[in-house]
Structures are given as structure tokens and as C-alpha cells.
Amino acid sequence: MQNDTLNLVLCCGFLSRLLDNGKIVRFLSTRYPEYLDGFQKIIAANSLNA
């Protein structure tokens, strides 16, 4: 359980930094909007738990 929590925190930090990049967000929104939506939901869910 503790290892899963650490992995989630690390992934959310990575996704947050990734989505701070406007070029990446534009690329995902035009080509893979479902991934962008999923990444944003993961970040939002993690921020609610913090």
C-alpha cells in the first residue's frame, strides 16, 4: 500500500509538470484529448486527497 501511494504521488508530480508545458497540452488536446482529460482527472483527484 505504501509503495502504491508513493508511485501515485510521483506520477501526479510528473503529470503536473508535463501539463504545465503549453505545447504538450496543445498536442494532447488536438491529437489525444481523452488522454489529456484522464491526466487532468488524475491530478485533480490527487489534489483533493492532499
Side-chain angles (χ1 to χ4, degrees):
M1 178 68 176
Q2 193 173 23
N3 194 23
D4 291 339
T5 303
L6 177 60
N7 286 335
L8 178 62
V9 169
L10 292 173
C11 288
C12 287
F14 175 76
L15 288 174
S16 293
R17 287 191 304 274
L18 192 69
L19 297 183
D20 282 343
N21 186 324
K23 289 182 180 180
I24 292 175
V25 172
R26 280 192 302 277
F27 174 81
L28 289 173
S29 67
T30 57
R31 298 194 182 185
Y32 303 101
E34 65 280 359
Y35 288 162
L36 178 60
D37 184 51
F39 293 160
Q40 290 170 331
K41 287 179 181 177
I42 291 169
I43 293 169
N46 188 50
S47 65
L48 292 176
N49 291 332

